Amino acid sequence: MVTNPTPETAQVNGTNFQPADVNDRVLSIQSHVSYGYVGGKAAVFPLQCIGYDVDAVNTVNFSNHTGYGLFGGTRTSPEDLTSIFRMMEEIGLLSPRRLLTGYIPNAAAMEVIKELAQKLKSRNPHLIYLMDPVLGDSGKLYVSQDVIPIYKEMLSFATIITPNWFEVETLTGVSLLSLSALCNALSILHKHVQHVVISSIPLQPWLSDVIPETMQPPASTYDQQAYLLCISSSRTIGSNSHSTVHARLVPLIPGYFSGVGDLFSALTLGHFNPSPTPSDGKLHPATQTPLSFAVAAALHKTHSILEFTNTFAAQLPPEDRTTTDDEYDAAEPIRKLKRMKARELRLVQGQHILREEWREGQGKDLQFWDGFWDSS
């Protein structure tokens, strides 16, 4: 918890926490739910915890996330989005230094947001735009096919993108089944965007065979524990050299949790400083890039929130923490509702995690992937 905060410095668990620049506003455009923590509800509060003012525009207004199986509400029309942005601009409220976009329900809404991103970027070339291309996961699309080409057109406006493995495959047309395919996919994305984060790739045998030995999971846990690999890749503008790649494995926490990618993307944007100074004492260019530093912080905090949430859920009565079973869930829908409720991210209760000051060398850094491009 924060004790006796001041506008300049908050004391968090004995650590001095320095908030973002007071002028560093974020415009967050993504989904909203009344209950729970996905979309903007998983992004706005964490960004505020690390010192940002956040202006939120909702692309949908739902009662709860769709994983419950039952939900109500509406999608924001393209006309309403246009009206919101127009009025913000007319009265001088549309000057963010950072832009975050997440779930956008259809192509018509995407066109409105593409036009806005283009306008903001042309007005301020230094705008930091993190685009989370929320297309789907685990081989399943969340959106209609006509959204995909618009996302591809928007890549050139983005500073950072944070797709998962399925979204990388969808945007590039490359199946991630080998290191050469992974190199190819990153090369395609880097033609348009400087900083690429692949938020999660399951540690399949082909990937385990090629990651450096220093990144391998402990031999004692490999057969019993599933892992996900997170990759950051940054290239130098105007250079013909390959990007600099860092990565880190994290253990997969069993169960269905929503809003994880939304939280991760928000924290990545919040911790990203494109021009860190040596006096910051937070980043050593010899071992980290501004992106890998931000991703390390986001990955650590996101995983810690998941562990915190999972610990809470494990202490609930058995009827509130049932395992996923499609047949039983269909016969007794209340099982799924209770399970989804139990696994809502514990952001408020875990805000001490979000507020932690992050510095390189805390044992959770991403590692430089030496030789990544050797096979390309």
Side-chain angles (χ1 to χ4, degrees):
M1 297 295 290
V2 181
T3 305
N4 298 323
T6 70
E8 293 77 24
T9 302
Q11 192 76 11
V12 184
N13 292 340
T15 300
N16 284 329
F17 168 71
Q18 299 295 333
D21 187 298
V22 293
N23 296 315
D24 217 0
R25 299 188 75 90
V26 177
L27 175 60
S28 170
I29 307 172
Q30 51 192 311
S31 62
H32 173 80
V33 292
S34 297
Y35 184 92
Y37 295 94
V38 302
K41 286 284 289 292
V44 173
F45 178 68
L47 284 168
Q48 291 170 331
C49 281
I50 56 177
Y52 291 92
D53 273 317
V54 185
D55 305 320
V57 175
N58 304 332
T59 58
V60 304
N61 292 281
F62 288 163
S63 56
N64 49 272
H65 71 71
T66 58
Y68 280 82
L70 299 169
F71 65 96
T74 60
R75 293 167 174 82
T76 309
S77 71
E79 294 77 18
D80 285 342
L81 288 171
T82 300
S83 175
I84 290 169
F85 298 141
R86 183 188 300 120
M87 184 54 64
M88 289 180 72
E89 183 165 29
E90 284 182 7
I91 58 179
L93 303 179
L94 194 61
S95 299
R97 291 190 179 181
R98 297 179 185 237
L99 174 64
L100 174 64
T101 61
Y103 176 72
I104 304 166
N106 53 57
M110 281 287 299
E111 288 288 358
V112 174
I113 292 165
K114 183 183 82 169
E115 181 180 340
L116 174 73
Q118 186 174 19
K119 178 188 295 185
L120 293 176
K121 196 75 173 180
S122 62
R123 181 184 300 166
N124 175 17
H126 299 294
L127 175 79
I128 299 173
Y129 174 22
L130 189 147
M131 182 176 75
D132 182 4
V134 182
L135 294 167
D137 199 5
S138 302
K140 180 181 178 181
L141 279 175
Y142 298 154
V143 297
S144 58
Q145 288 281 350
D146 57 359
V147 166
I148 298 171
I150 306 175
Y151 266 120
K152 292 180 180 179
E153 293 171 6
M154 291 178 66
L155 289 174
S156 60
F157 305 138
T159 312
I160 308 168
I161 58 172
T162 55
N164 59 37
W165 68 267
F166 173 69
E167 290 159 345
V168 170
E169 291 187 342
T170 303
L171 290 170
T172 65
V174 177
S175 297
L176 301 184
L177 299 174
S178 66
L179 180 57
S180 60
L182 182 57
C183 290
N184 186 24
L186 280 175
S187 295
I188 291 171
L189 293 172
H190 275 309
K191 289 178 181 177
H192 308 282
V193 60
Q194 183 180 6
H195 301 290
V196 177
V197 181
I198 304 180
S199 59
S200 59
I201 306 178
L203 185 61
Q204 298 171 341
W206 72 264
L207 188 54
S208 180
D209 289 343
V210 299
I211 61 174
E213 185 175 347
T214 54
M215 293 184 196
Q216 295 284 350
S220 60
T221 65
Y222 185 77
D223 291 335
Q224 292 81 31
Q225 175 73 62
Y227 286 84
L228 298 173
L229 186 71
C230 179
I231 294 175
S232 80
S233 179
S234 294
R235 68 170 178 83
T236 302
I237 294 177
S239 171
N240 292 323
S241 60
H242 288 304
S243 65
T244 301
V245 177
H246 291 76
R248 184 189 160 205
L249 278 177
V250 292
L252 177 67
I253 298 176
Y256 182 95
F257 299 89
S258 293
V260 180
D262 306 317
L263 172 62
F264 172 79
S265 292
L267 291 172
T268 297
L269 176 64
H271 285 283
F272 180 73
N273 180 358
S275 304
T277 61
S279 61
D280 288 342
K282 296 180 180 180
L283 177 63
H284 300 291
T287 56
Q288 297 292 319
T289 64
L291 181 66
S292 68
F293 176 87
V295 171
L299 188 62
H300 169 69
K301 292 184 179 185
T302 300
H303 196 260
S304 297
I305 287 289
L306 276 175
E307 290 179 321
F308 187 75
T309 302
N310 194 50
T311 298
F312 166 79
Q315 297 170 348
L316 293 174
E319 62 269 18
D320 291 339
R321 49 183 172 89
T322 57
T323 58
T324 301
D325 187 302
D326 292 340
E327 185 175 346
Y328 282 134
D329 289 346
E332 193 178 352
I334 192 66
R335 293 178 78 257
K336 187 174 185 179
L337 296 177
K338 288 183 176 181
R339 187 168 63 248
M340 292 296 103
K341 186 176 179 181
R343 293 176 180 171
E344 290 283 3
L345 297 178
R346 305 281 287 174
L347 295 182
V348 174
Q349 297 80 3
Q351 63 181 281
H352 60 283
I353 296 168
L354 303 173
R355 296 178 187 273
E356 289 176 358
E357 184 179 16
W358 182 258
R359 290 181 178 274
E360 184 186 0
Q362 296 181 202
K364 303 294 183 181
D365 296 336
L366 271 64
Q367 296 183 43
F368 173 61
W369 192 329
D370 191 21
F372 176 85
W373 292 102
D374 289 353
S375 66
S376 63

